[in-house]
Amino acid sequence: MLGKKYPEREIITKVLRSLTSKWLSKANAIVEGVHYQSGTLTFDQLRGNLITDEMTILDQNGENKKKSLALKASSQEEESDENDDGEEDKDFALLMKQFNKFAKKKNFNFKGKK
């Protein structure tokens, strides 16, 4: 009898039953809700309700924030890499200067510049 009077309610019930255990509390809240009890809950309302809850859960877990932080971190790494290149160039220049002094003391033959 429910199938003839409320065909959409059967679909909603099947959807709620197919949700994973992660959604159990939300499914119970929907079933106990006024719209479900009165038979006025539409599939679109159910879908919107579940999507909204999913977005809320993602925000609480910080999954959306992780993406934005990852982008910020990569831009900071690029800036720090640019700074590191300058420091590495200075370090390399100092190393070459020290090596040249060492080589002159030991009388190494250099091809090219003297």
Side-chain angles (χ1 to χ4, degrees):
M1 178 154 177
L2 281 177
K4 293 179 183 177
K5 190 172 183 183
Y6 302 108
E8 197 165 14
R9 187 169 180 173
E10 280 187 7
I11 294 170
I12 292 171
T13 303
K14 286 181 184 180
V15 169
L16 291 173
R17 286 182 184 165
S18 67
L19 294 174
T20 61
S21 60
K22 175 183 171 183
W23 295 91
L24 184 61
S25 61
K26 185 64 178 177
N28 288 338
I30 291 171
V31 169
E32 293 171 3
V34 175
H35 294 293
Y36 183 82
Q37 294 292 330
S38 65
T40 60
L41 180 67
T42 65
F43 182 73
D44 289 335
Q45 289 172 331
L46 172 68
R47 184 175 170 267
N49 196 334
L50 293 174
I51 289 172
T52 302
D53 196 58
E54 183 178 30
M55 287 180 182
T56 304
I57 290 170
L58 287 176
D59 286 341
Q60 287 175 351
N61 291 341
E63 292 178 21
N64 288 343
K65 294 178 184 177
K66 286 181 184 176
K67 291 179 185 176
S68 64
L69 289 177
L71 293 175
K72 289 178 184 176
S74 65
S75 66
Q76 289 175 354
E77 286 177 13
E78 289 173 6
E79 290 174 7
S80 65
D81 287 345
E82 291 172 4
N83 293 339
D84 290 343
D85 289 342
E87 290 175 15
E88 288 175 6
D89 289 341
K90 290 177 185 177
D91 291 341
F92 183 71
L94 180 61
L95 177 67
M96 289 304 298
K97 188 175 180 180
Q98 290 174 347
F99 177 75
N100 287 335
K101 285 182 183 179
F102 171 76
K104 285 180 184 177
K105 285 183 183 178
K106 297 293 181 179
N107 293 326
F108 283 112
N109 289 331
F110 289 102
K111 295 180 181 177
K113 278 188 171 181
K114 287 189 179 179

